[in-house]
């Protein structure tokens, strides 16, 4: 088909599209039969179509189908005519139809057809490179990337590398090999070298990645993304000081770079240099004055460095951003509560709508009302919210339980759980909370019944298995049964320090102190809680490693001077450590009212 005739066809299509749009607005769009009938009437006779007329007919049908959102018909007609005419303009139109239909195979087939007509078509290679990348056919994707580079076209060389984080180790290695092969072809391409560094970072080959990034930055010193990746590589490889220093320099060079600034600030926060971190956020806000996420981080840091007046100003600004209104009201409420401005805090918490911080705000409201001797109002609030929000009912029952339990109304707290479980008999959170409540009241039979119910529901419930096993190991002589339960939990969650501690404790109770010591030591390194310290110290003590036991206990006592299990252990084995002149720092026991958010869990689950 010559260009003149094709131009005529396109003109006809444009005219038809306009007519179809007009007809659609008048609700008189013609049917396929009407289109054919009208065409026949103009000539007065039916004739065989020529190739050109066939093409025109197919293209007209394709456009009419497109107007009616019948894209499958549009695509079939365009693909057919692309193959018949091999005209780049028809091929491109067919590709557009395939993209609308999200038919990747058709896109590849048409792009290959395009290359048969024009082997140097950069656009065709770009289409194929992108499509093969979606298919994870990285060999083909890299081939077309290479062709684009050869032809001097533009391409996102690093696209495959950026997405490699989700690949398997094998996939990443294969991709790295392909990039290295590409770099051998184009050794001057800093984009390819940068891509290699990205894949190396995702393979945790940080030193190699940093070496490539340094080479890239030598050629492109203002390439900010490479600086970001290098700073992250330093941080991820454990070179914290180097990461901090490099981030500081990079932030000086690129003070308007949000990513570099945030990374630098986070490294400062890790080192508890919160005032410096706040200054970084203040500088970033100068460049991004309308960024609510920056303002939120800045306001929280201002509270941290004891600049509440400045923080409140920023939080008040955040209330004007719908996405961060809840954040602002919640943190303003927490600050007011800390300042004992309870009525003001209540108003802030009430302003938090369902979404971020909502349940925590409801919990704070209930707690404050109870503290103000308005507990009936708190219970009524939770009851009314349960009626309004049936999907949130379980969480609201748990809030009520925590509230009552915090204020040492254990009978009322248990009654609350019973009501919740009556409505939700198989809810794991409610049943587990009641089991732990029973354990605290020495009602072990009821506790076991609830935990058995959870295990019957889900035999792989590691939390319930461990809780029951630990309680049997700690409070009964059913040690073999306890070991089996905890052993199953440990298989399910081998790195959970609470389960490791439970297994260590049951081994100790079985007289296997040496075996117990390994697990208890590992658990303590992961989670240096007072109960784990008590168990580890007792195992060391039994093995006549009393100095080591005292060191563990002493360190834990400094951090948790009122820990019940730790105190009981010391009273039995080393009461002198509890004397006033011991190493532990002074501490006063907090009342229930000073502990607004007690944990539902015990060591059995934590």
């Amino acid at each position: 088909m010559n260009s003149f005739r094709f131009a005529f066809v396109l003109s006809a299509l444009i005219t038809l599209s306009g007519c179809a749009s007009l007809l659609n607005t008048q609700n008189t769009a013609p049917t396929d039969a009407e289109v054919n009938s009208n065409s026949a009437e103009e000539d007065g006779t039916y004739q065989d179509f020529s190739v050109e007329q066939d093409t025109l007919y197919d293209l007209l049908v394709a456009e009419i189908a497109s107007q009616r959102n019948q894209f499958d018909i549009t695509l079939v007609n365009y693909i057919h005519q692309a193959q018949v005419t091999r005209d780049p303009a028809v091929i491109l139109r067919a590709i557009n139809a395939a993209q609308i239909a999200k038919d990747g195979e058709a896109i590849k087939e048409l792009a290959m057809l395009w290359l048969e007509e024009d082997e140097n078509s950069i656009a065709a290679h770009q289409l194929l490179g992108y499509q093969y990348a979606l298919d994870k056919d990285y060999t083909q994707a890299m081939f077309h990337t290479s062709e684009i580079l050869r032809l001097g076209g533009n391409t996102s060389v690093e696209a495959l590398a950026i997405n490699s984080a989700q690949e398997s180790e094998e996939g990443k290695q294969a991709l790295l090999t392909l990039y290295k092969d590409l770099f051998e072809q184009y050794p001057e391409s800093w984009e390819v070298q940068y891509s290699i560094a990205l894949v190396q970072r995702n393979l945790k080959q940080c030193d190699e990645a940093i070496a490539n990034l340094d080479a890239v930055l030598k050629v492109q010193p203002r390439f900010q993304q490479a600086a970001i990746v290098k700073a992250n590589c330093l941080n991820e490889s454990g070179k914290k000081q180097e990461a901090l220093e490099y981030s500081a320099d990079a932030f000086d060079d690129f003070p308007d770079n949000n990513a570099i600034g945030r990374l630098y600030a986070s490294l400062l926060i890790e080192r508890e240099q919160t005032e410096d971190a706040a200054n970084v956020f203040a500088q970033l806000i100068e460049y991004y004055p309308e960024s609510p996420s920056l303002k939120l981080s800045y306001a929280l840091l201002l509270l941290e460095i004891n600049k509440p007046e400045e923080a409140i100003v920023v939080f008040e600004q955040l209330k004007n951003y719908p996405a961060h209104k809840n954040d602002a009201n919640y943190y303003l409420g927490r600050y007011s509560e800390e300042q004992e401005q309870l009525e003001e805090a209540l108003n802030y918490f009430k302003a938090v709508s369902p979404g971020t911080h909502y349940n925590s705000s409801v919990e704070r409201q209930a707690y404050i009302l109870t503290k103000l001797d308005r507990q009936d109002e708190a219970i009524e609030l939770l009851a009314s919210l349960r009626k309004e929000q049936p999907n949130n009912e379980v969480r609201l029952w748990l809030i009520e339980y925590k509230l009552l339990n915090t204020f040492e109304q254990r009978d009322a707290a248990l009654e609350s759980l019973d009501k919740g479980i009556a409505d939700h008999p198989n809810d794991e959170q409610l049943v587990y909370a009641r089991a732990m409540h029973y354990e605290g009241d020495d009602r072990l039979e009821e506790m076991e019944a609830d935990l058995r119910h959870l295990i019957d529901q889900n035999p792989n419930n590691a939390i319930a298995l461990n809780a029951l096993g630990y309680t049997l190991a700690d409070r009964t002589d059913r040690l073999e049964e306890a070991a089996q339960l905890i052993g199953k939990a440990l298989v399910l969650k081998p790195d959970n320090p609470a389960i490791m501690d439970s297994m260590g404790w049951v081994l100790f109770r079985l007289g296997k102190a040496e075996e117990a010591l390994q697990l208890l030591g590992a658990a303590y390194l992961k989670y240096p809680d007072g109960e784990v310290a008590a168990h580890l110290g007792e195992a060391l003590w039994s093995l006549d490693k009393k100095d080591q036991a005292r060191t563990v206990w002493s360190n834990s006592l400094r951090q948790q001077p009122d820990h019940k299990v730790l105190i009981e252990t010391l009273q039995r084995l080393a009461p002198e450590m509890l004397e006033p002149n011991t190493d532990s720092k002074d501490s006063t026991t907090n009342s229930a009212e000073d502990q607004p958010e007690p944990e539902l869990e015990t060591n059995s689950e934590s």
Side-chain angles (χ1 to χ4, degrees):
M1 180 186 291
N2 60 40
S3 298
F4 174 78
R5 181 166 291 137
F6 185 70
F8 169 76
V9 171
L10 282 182
S11 175
L13 292 178
I14 293 168
T15 303
L16 179 62
S17 296
C19 293
S21 298
L22 178 61
L23 290 168
N24 282 335
T25 61
Q26 297 172 338
N27 294 318
T28 56
T31 65
D32 289 342
E34 288 170 337
V35 171
N36 294 337
S37 173
N38 292 339
S39 300
E41 288 172 3
E42 290 176 7
D43 293 336
T45 59
Y46 290 94
Q47 298 179 4
D48 292 335
F49 289 124
S50 66
V51 174
E52 287 81 3
Q53 288 170 325
D54 273 342
T55 296
L56 176 58
Y57 176 76
D58 280 350
L59 295 177
L60 290 175
V61 170
E63 284 300 313
I64 292 172
S66 176
Q67 289 290 325
R68 297 174 180 176
N69 294 326
Q70 297 172 324
F71 296 116
D72 53 342
I73 297 174
T74 300
L75 182 56
V76 168
N77 280 271
Y78 268 121
I79 288 176
H80 174 66
Q81 285 306 319
Q83 293 168 336
V84 169
T85 66
R86 305 181 77 84
D87 188 298
V90 178
I91 293 171
L92 183 57
R93 187 68 171 157
I95 287 171
N96 289 339
Q99 289 173 325
I100 293 172
K102 298 181 180 179
D103 189 332
E105 290 303 313
I107 293 171
K108 286 188 291 187
E109 179 183 341
L110 290 162
M112 291 300 293
L113 184 61
W114 191 353
L115 285 178
E116 288 177 15
E117 296 304 305
D118 180 7
E119 63 182 12
N120 291 326
S121 170
I122 292 172
H125 283 297
Q126 288 171 331
L127 277 170
L128 286 164
Y130 175 74
Q131 205 60 47
Y132 279 119
L134 289 181
D135 295 343
K136 297 187 181 297
D137 187 342
Y138 296 139
T139 301
Q140 285 296 323
M142 200 68 75
F143 166 76
H144 290 287
T145 298
S146 175
E147 288 297 284
I148 295 167
L149 292 175
R150 179 181 66 80
L151 294 167
N154 294 321
T155 182
S156 298
V157 177
E158 72 279 9
L160 295 175
I162 291 171
N163 294 324
S164 68
Q166 307 305 318
E167 277 295 317
S168 64
E169 291 299 298
E170 184 180 353
K172 291 172 190 171
Q173 288 287 358
L175 198 53
L176 181 60
T177 299
L178 289 170
Y179 269 118
K180 286 182 175 179
D181 290 344
L182 188 62
F183 192 52
E184 286 184 9
Q185 297 176 55
Y186 302 98
E188 302 301 319
S189 173
W190 59 266
E191 294 97 334
V192 177
Q193 192 165 19
Y194 172 64
S195 302
I196 291 172
L198 291 180
V199 181
Q200 287 171 330
R201 178 195 175 191
N202 289 332
L203 281 165
K204 296 182 172 53
Q205 299 175 5
C206 290
D207 290 341
E208 295 89 338
I210 290 168
N212 279 309
L213 291 166
D214 284 339
V216 169
L217 287 165
K218 187 174 181 179
V219 177
Q220 295 288 328
R222 304 298 298 174
F223 184 28
Q224 298 183 31
Q225 197 59 37
I228 295 169
V229 177
K230 179 179 176 180
N232 277 295
C233 279
L234 289 168
N235 185 45
E236 292 160 9
S237 62
K239 300 174 182 177
K240 300 291 186 179
Q241 185 60 35
E242 286 184 57
L244 181 65
E245 292 172 0
Y246 182 77
S247 297
D249 291 340
F251 188 57
D252 286 341
D253 292 337
F254 312 115
D256 61 339
N257 189 296
N258 194 358
I260 290 175
R262 285 179 180 275
L263 175 61
Y264 179 37
S266 70
L267 291 169
L268 288 168
I269 292 169
E270 280 184 23
R271 290 175 165 260
E272 299 184 357
Q273 296 174 236
T274 49
E275 190 153 0
D276 291 336
N279 291 334
V280 171
F281 279 110
Q283 291 179 62
L284 287 172
I285 288 171
E286 290 181 11
Y287 289 99
Y288 306 100
E290 296 303 317
S291 172
S293 62
L294 284 175
K295 288 185 176 183
L296 177 60
S297 299
Y298 182 48
L300 291 172
L301 282 170
L302 287 171
L303 285 180
E304 185 74 16
I305 62 178
N306 200 27
K307 292 185 177 180
E309 295 82 5
E310 295 177 41
I312 288 170
V313 171
V314 182
F315 280 127
E316 290 294 342
Q317 294 173 3
L318 282 169
K319 287 165 68 174
N320 297 321
Y321 296 88
H324 288 276
K325 190 174 181 179
N326 275 7
D327 294 311
N329 282 309
Y330 176 72
Y331 288 113
L332 284 168
R334 290 307 300 253
Y335 177 72
S336 297
E337 185 180 359
E338 288 174 7
Q339 301 303 305
E340 293 296 321
Q341 299 169 349
L342 300 184
E343 291 292 346
E344 187 175 346
L346 268 178
N347 290 332
Y348 281 125
F349 289 130
K350 287 177 182 177
V352 176
S353 58
T356 308
H357 302 303
Y358 177 72
N359 283 326
S360 296
S361 294
V362 170
E363 187 170 345
R364 300 319 307 157
Q365 288 179 65
Y367 175 80
I368 291 171
L369 288 169
T370 303
K371 194 171 182 180
L372 291 170
D373 294 326
R374 293 157 60 186
Q375 181 171 297
D376 289 346
E377 189 177 337
I379 298 300
E380 288 173 10
L381 168 67
L382 296 172
S384 66
L385 290 176
R386 283 195 292 270
K387 291 180 181 178
E388 295 171 12
Q389 303 169 20
N391 292 336
N392 199 28
E393 193 175 356
V394 168
R395 178 60 182 161
L396 291 165
W397 276 120
L398 288 168
I399 289 173
E400 182 172 314
Y401 168 71
K402 288 177 67 176
L403 175 72
L404 295 168
N405 199 46
T406 297
F407 286 89
E408 299 182 357
Q409 300 178 44
R410 289 187 63 78
D411 290 343
L414 181 59
E415 184 180 348
S416 175
L417 279 180
D418 286 338
K419 290 177 181 177
I421 292 171
D423 292 338
H424 304 276
N426 295 320
D427 184 82
E428 290 188 356
Q429 295 180 81
L430 290 170
V431 175
Y432 182 81
R434 188 172 69 179
M436 293 302 97
H437 189 97
Y438 283 144
E439 191 271 343
D441 288 347
D442 292 327
R443 296 167 64 175
L444 300 189
E445 287 187 12
E446 290 102 321
M447 179 215 72
E448 182 171 352
D450 273 345
L451 292 177
R452 293 284 184 192
H453 174 64
L454 292 179
I455 294 167
D456 288 343
Q457 278 191 152
N458 176 13
N460 292 324
N461 188 328
I463 292 173
L465 288 164
N466 181 58
L468 179 56
Y470 176 77
T471 303
L472 294 178
D474 194 53
R475 309 281 293 277
T476 75
D477 293 327
R478 295 158 62 185
L479 301 181
E480 294 293 345
E481 186 180 354
Q484 290 179 2
L485 290 164
I486 299 168
K488 185 173 181 180
L490 193 61
V491 169
L492 293 167
K493 292 191 174 183
D495 296 322
N496 185 298
I499 301 176
M500 293 164 67
D501 171 63
S502 298
M503 196 66 201
W505 187 237
V506 76
L507 287 172
F508 175 76
R509 299 259 353 247
L510 285 166
K512 302 175 182 180
E514 289 286 359
E515 292 180 51
L517 192 59
Q518 294 182 10
L519 276 167
L520 292 170
Y524 184 72
L525 287 174
K526 285 177 172 285
Y527 183 59
D529 171 73
E531 190 159 0
V532 183
H535 295 160
L536 174 59
E538 187 158 353
L540 289 166
W541 192 272
S542 72
L543 294 168
D544 203 27
K545 299 179 180 181
K546 296 184 177 180
D547 288 341
Q548 293 179 45
R550 287 191 181 94
T551 298
V552 170
W553 287 333
S554 178
N555 289 338
S556 187
L557 199 60
R558 288 192 187 94
Q559 301 301 319
Q560 296 175 289
D562 303 306
H563 195 286
K564 181 180 177 181
V565 176
L566 181 61
I567 297 289
E568 186 276 332
T569 301
L570 292 175
Q571 285 172 341
R572 284 190 293 108
L573 301 177
E576 70 280 359
M577 292 187 67
L578 298 174
E579 297 298 323
N581 61 346
T582 60
D583 219 11
S584 63
K585 67 179 182 181
D586 293 337
S587 174
T588 56
T589 304
N590 293 330
S591 67
E593 293 189 358
D594 294 325
Q595 301 178 41
E597 296 182 80
E599 296 296 330
L600 293 179
E601 304 82 21
T602 68
N603 174 67
S604 310
E605 185 277 333
S606 57

